[in-house]
Amino acid sequence: MKKRDVIAGLREELSRCRSELEAKRLQLRGLEAGIEPPTGPSGFTGLAPETVREIFQPDPIGFLLGDAEGRVFDVNDALVSILGSPSREQTKRINLLTFPP
């Protein structure tokens, strides 16, 4: 195996580990804030939408709250920027299951 291939493999593994750590960090932040698992069209039960925004809005990683039908309930500014969308409201109109790639 070439050195270049080994380095590329290590970079991929590092990226995967970073993603897993970030997911765990977000999960922990949600648990600390008392977020229950998503249910129904409201997205979360027992938690005000303002609280959800306070948790995820400052993150530099794009984040959205949605459901199994593809509806988007909320997005943070990082995701709006990543997508190049004109606004959070327009991004929330997207259905993830029917939006063309």
Side-chain angles (χ1 to χ4, degrees):
M1 187 181 275
K2 294 183 178 181
K3 185 177 179 180
R4 185 177 341 155
D5 294 335
V6 171
I7 291 172
L10 290 172
R11 284 185 177 149
E12 287 177 25
E13 180 69 15
L14 179 59
S15 178
R16 185 186 60 75
C17 289
R18 283 182 179 153
S19 296
E20 288 177 10
L21 284 173
E22 182 61 20
K24 294 292 184 185
R25 184 182 71 79
L26 290 174
Q27 182 180 22
L28 180 59
R29 285 177 68 188
L31 291 173
E32 289 172 346
I35 295 177
E36 298 175 21
T39 60
S42 64
F44 286 98
T45 59
L47 192 63
E50 297 79 28
T51 304
V52 174
R53 273 187 228 103
E54 287 175 16
I55 294 169
F56 299 110
Q57 186 57 21
D59 277 2
I61 294 173
F63 183 81
L64 70 83
L65 294 174
D67 67 8
E69 281 82 45
R71 294 177 292 203
V72 176
F73 299 115
D74 206 355
V75 298
N76 67 356
D77 290 337
L79 183 64
V80 173
S81 177
I82 290 167
L83 295 175
S85 182
S87 71
R88 289 176 62 201
E89 289 306 314
Q90 287 189 342
T91 306
K92 289 174 11 179
R93 291 184 192 138
I94 295 170
N95 183 295
L96 300 173
L97 300 180
T98 60
F99 187 74

